[in-house]
């Protein structure tokens, strides 16, 4: 069974950095694309970033472009989200998700990121 487990939650001050991890199991990691999606308090899901794992091509939402970096470690079946220059607007629950047929078929449990002074 597919399982995605996020880690890296935390409370961080604006301007600081945080790295999230998502360890995958139950499928061939290199065969699928992976994304990060977030949900801010009182708001809906917002796509953040996607990586085409096999070719390491990346995509970012305009709101995080230049600040966030998505990457993978294929040997560890893990996808990362490096978040720099964090803003209060980045406060959200962050989910990693497995991409299938232009949507998401598997989700992690989510990890809380709070950016506050």
């Amino acid at each position: 069974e597919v399982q995605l487990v996020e880690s890296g939650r935390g409370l961080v001050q604006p301007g600081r950095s945080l790295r999230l991890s998502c360890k995958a199991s139950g499928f061939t990691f290199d065969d699928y694309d992976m994304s990060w999606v977030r949900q801010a308090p009182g708001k809906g899901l917002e796509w953040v970033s996607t990586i085409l794992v096999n070719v390491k091509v990346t995509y970012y939402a305009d709101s995080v472009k230049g600040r966030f970096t998505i990457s993978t470690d294929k040997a560890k079946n893990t996808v990362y989200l490096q978040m720099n220059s964090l803003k209060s607007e980045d406060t959200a629950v962050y989910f990693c998700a497995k991409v299938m047929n232009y949507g998401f078929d598997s989700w992690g449990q989510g990890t809380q990121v709070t950016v506050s002074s």
Side-chain angles (χ1 to χ4, degrees):
E1 182 177 348
V2 173
Q3 186 167 301
L4 304 173
V5 180
E6 297 104 333
S7 62
R9 62 176 174 83
L11 171 64
V12 63
Q13 293 183 323
R16 302 297 189 184
S17 298
L18 193 67
R19 188 171 78 162
L20 306 181
S21 298
C22 173
K23 186 172 180 60
S25 61
F27 64 98
T28 303
F29 187 70
D30 192 58
D31 286 351
Y32 298 93
D33 303 324
M34 298 292 294
S35 291
W36 287 95
V37 181
R38 67 186 181 185
Q39 185 169 34
K43 298 185 178 180
L45 294 169
E46 177 189 18
W47 169 78
V48 174
S49 184
T50 294
I51 183 165
L52 309 185
V53 176
N54 61 330
V55 295
K56 296 184 178 180
V57 174
T58 59
Y59 303 90
Y60 300 93
D62 288 342
S63 59
V64 306
K65 192 174 298 181
R67 299 188 298 120
F68 290 12
T69 302
I70 188 171
S71 63
T72 60
D73 184 334
K74 294 180 181 180
K76 296 181 178 180
N77 285 3
T78 300
V79 59
Y80 303 95
L81 186 67
Q82 177 67 44
M83 304 182 292
N84 298 327
S85 301
L86 283 162
K87 306 174 181 179
S88 60
E89 303 95 285
D90 296 317
T91 295
V93 176
Y94 285 73
F95 302 90
C96 65
K98 175 174 170 286
V99 179
M100 173 60 73
N101 295 331
Y102 305 101
F104 308 107
D105 66 350
S106 299
W107 297 77
Q109 81 284 358
T111 187
Q112 177 70 51
V113 174
T114 301
V115 185
S116 177
S117 60

